[in-house]
Amino acid sequence: MNSRSPPLAVQDFRRPSLPGRGVSRRLSALSTAEQGQNGATTGFVEHAITEEIEEIKRYEDFTTIDWVQDAAREQLRRRAKRRENAGFFARQAGLGWRQKLWESYDAGQAWIVVTLVGAAIGLNAGFLNIVTEWLSDVKLGYCTTAFYLNENFCCWGAENGCDEWHRWSSIWPVNYVLYFIFSTLFALTSASLVKSFAPYAAGSGISEIKCIIAGFVMKGFLGFWTLLIKSICLPLAIASGLSVGKEGPSVHYAVCTGNVISRFFDTYKRNAAKTREILSACAAAGVAVAFGSPIGGVLFSLEEMSSYFPLKTMWRSYFCALVATAVLAAMNPFRTGQLVMFQVRYDRSWHFFELIFYIFIGIFGGLYGAFVMKWNLRAQAFRKRYLTKYAILEATLLAAGTAVLCYPNMFLRIDMTESMEILFLECEGGHDYAGLCDVKSRWSMVSSLAFATIMRTFLVIISYGCKVPAGIFVPSMAIGASFGRMVGILVQALHEAFPHSRFFAACEQDLPCITPGTYAFLGAGAALSGIMHITVSVVVIMFELTGALTYILPTMIVVGVTKAVGDRFGKGGIADRMIWFNGFPFLDNKEEHSFGVPVSQVMTSEVTILPSSGLDLRGLERVLASSKFQGFPVVEDRTSRTLLGYIGRTELRYAIDRAKKESFLSPNAKCLFTQQVSTAVRTPSIAAPAVTFDSIASSSGQQSVDFSRFIDPTPLAVHPRLPLETVMELFKKMGPRVILVEYRGRLTGLVTVKDCLKYQFKVEAQETPRDTDPS
């Protein structure tokens, strides 16, 4: 037994004859305050017990954090730490500078952690960009001067062709076969590593991170192995040609980085609330390095990721994104000064007659998001039911099929980020890819872009969710860019066919009027907004990508139309739909409900309760073994059901095991959950004298064990007639694990987040039936 662990109090069991049932509850409620006033020793004892229980809870998987209790425990830690520091520095009276230095370090620890995390995220992002670029190019050819150089670096400075970069063969079918082999091999390696070492590295991770930030515990999801395997397998998955992106997984590896580094600091290792701040900041940094958009990353974390985002967290998110972006810029992975490959600058402005076509692109974005989410959920349900055992084979066959279908098309053959870079560019300035700007090949380009849009949409539906690191940001943006460029080419052809029409009166003579690249840019923003159902952060991200102030208004219009169209087909983006599909206990702050029912219609009435006295140790262990609940309400007796408090399953298990370890207890020992006092005692300051297990009398039949220090005497409780919407707001804003329902002091039931979600899904299923069954 740990030497710092105080012995549990064991006393002779005598049932007191209190004049009123309310006295025992009052004494129980004041027990914590009483113990806190008995001196530094008792405070240290309580702190030691709390820390031991917290150490156990850190390893509980698939449970939720009670933010109310976490805040109370943090206050206890702070008081114990202040007493400990005051005592140490009082003994070292002559070392005042040490105290000031320690206080300065303690105050700035959060900024140190944020700086280290931001730098690590930036370094990792730069490394992944370089490796992904090389793996994507090695499928098509090799560099004769240095095999490890990608095509851009190999041909650096070349103006008229590039003699250093060679295709694998001059025979087209040979290149086709090699492209197929490389793609299949990359996907096979990625899926095998994920399944063998870190299954949590599969997918995007955004849905799970939203739940983790909200308080859901998923052991290993943000661990070191997940970070390592995600960083290794992500470039392989992208280079395999699968219709998946690295921008979503970049949030996952960024949050993993923050979690791993923060565990080296005791403040974040013990405090879930402070860890939540770091995770929110890391999510912002992940988006910042993915798009080269630090402000957009902060807004994305605020709009999409975090259910709790105070001003302090916003500042740290901003600083973390700033550091990560600065490190990535210093690495300069593309040697162009750009943070991402598809950054672009526009010189020309837009015309008001183009708003009609911009609205059309916005409608496409909303329809695209609704269509992909609907059919992807069906594909996920099929995968979950039939393909769970064949994850590696599925990813390999998907990559093989994608290679066969995509190689003949010039826009599907190359990497999606490179494709967007080409589609975003203006035609002026010598930028032309395979005749994209050639008037003679205009209609062949339109048909090629239309085929790329349709085929990529189909591939995204079946690929997103396979067991490799897979995001959906860039695939959606690539689909939107190809559709937008197609619309831009058609509008340009319309203008050239009717140059003197009044509709095009705003165009200047002898100057280019339509810029098809801007349509591709707006289409990418529309598709991203349509699939994620985010607005403000998309506008800022697209602005930071282009730096074009003049295109903020068109972007806002397109995103607004996309949002309006998407909301007609259901609330929430793909991340929210995946949370529902996986059955995670998550209440979205963005949702508003109007059920019109009291909490009594939703609560669980059949509750396993613990009487304050009269239950022996054998019976208590039988209750633990027969029920799977995470906690138990404590009542005065089973008849009156007068609520006295609440004890968690972990605390109860810990208390029983500790009592058994410290002494031999009879199975008939009585379990007490309130301070037992004699009839003459009326004040909580005079408690019954407790003895240790070492001084137990030989007659164990009179033994009792006092568990009162482990219960929460002031649990969150509501009236049965309180509206369900208010209870859901309590869960969202305060974050308790459970809310008890009592009427005039009598326990009537309890409600959890899952109870609220079950009722919500039941109502929604009656109004708008879902496409798939998450079970």
Side-chain angles (χ1 to χ4, degrees), residues 257-289:
T257 303
N259 182 66
V260 170
I261 292 179
S262 65
R263 291 299 172 186
F264 290 101
F265 296 82
D266 190 64
T267 301
Y268 294 94
K269 186 177 180 181
R270 300 289 186 184
N271 190 346
K274 287 189 175 295
T275 303
R276 176 169 62 172
E277 293 178 5
I278 293 296
L279 300 187
S280 298
C282 293
V287 174
V289 296

Side-chain angles (χ1 to χ4, degrees), residues 295-312:
I295 304 300
V298 175
L299 291 176
F300 177 84
S301 183
L302 169 63
E303 186 176 2
E304 178 67 12
M305 299 300 297
S306 302
S307 56
Y308 178 74
F309 204 83
L311 184 62
K312 177 174 62 174

Side-chain angles (χ1 to χ4, degrees), residues 406-596:
C406 292
Y407 188 82
N409 185 276
M410 65 185 74
F411 298 108
L412 297 177
R413 182 189 313 140
I414 58 177
D415 182 65
M416 284 178 286
T417 54
E418 186 179 353
S419 171
M420 281 194 290
E421 179 189 23
I422 293 166
L423 295 173
F424 284 179
L425 290 174
E426 298 177 354
C427 284
E428 291 72 25
H431 302 296
D432 194 6
Y433 172 74
L436 181 62
C437 297
D438 189 2
V439 177
K440 297 179 181 179
S441 59
R442 173 175 291 165
W443 298 111
S444 64
M445 283 296 156
V446 169
S447 60
S448 181
L449 287 168
F451 176 79
T453 302
I454 296 171
M455 182 56 63
R456 184 77 76 186
T457 302
F458 168 73
L459 292 174
V460 165
I461 289 173
I462 64 175
S463 299
Y464 182 69
C466 66
K467 299 307 179 182
V468 296
I472 202 170
F473 284 21
V474 163
S476 296
M477 293 177 70
I479 292 168
S482 58
F483 178 81
R485 185 79 185 206
M486 180 185 68
V487 172
I489 292 175
L490 293 176
V491 174
Q492 190 179 47
L494 184 66
H495 170 254
E496 292 178 1
F498 305 98
H500 303 295
S501 171
R502 292 185 61 184
F503 185 76
F504 299 107
C507 296
E508 299 181 16
Q509 296 294 329
D510 302 327
L511 288 176
C513 180
I514 306 298
T515 307
T518 59
Y519 287 78
F521 156 75
L522 294 173
L528 178 58
S529 177
I531 199 66
M532 293 299 296
H533 277 223
I534 52 178
T535 53
V536 179
S537 51
V538 170
V539 173
V540 175
I541 286 171
M542 302 308 289
F543 162 66
E544 290 185 280
L545 280 174
T546 61
L549 284 169
T550 52
Y551 281 91
I552 285 185
L553 182 58
T555 307
M556 293 176 67
I557 292 173
V558 167
V559 170
V561 173
T562 298
K563 173 72 169 154
V565 173
D567 285 345
R568 297 290 299 173
F569 295 92
K571 303 290 184 182
I574 188 69
D576 300 305
R577 306 290 177 91
M578 290 306 299
I579 290 173
W580 167 82
F581 181 82
N582 291 317
F584 295 140
F586 178 77
L587 287 174
D588 196 348
N589 278 332
K590 298 188 291 291
E591 291 186 0
E592 296 181 359
H593 305 286
S594 179
F595 298 115

Side-chain angles (χ1 to χ4, degrees), residues 703-733:
Q703 263 187 355
S704 66
V705 188
D706 184 8
F707 292 130
S708 61
R709 69 168 58 182
F710 296 99
I711 76 165
D712 177 14
T714 55
L716 191 60
V718 298
H719 194 277
R721 290 199 293 268
L722 190 69
L724 177 60
E725 297 85 351
T726 306
V727 174
M728 295 177 73
E729 286 299 314
L730 287 175
F731 277 118
K732 293 176 184 178
K733 298 296 191 298

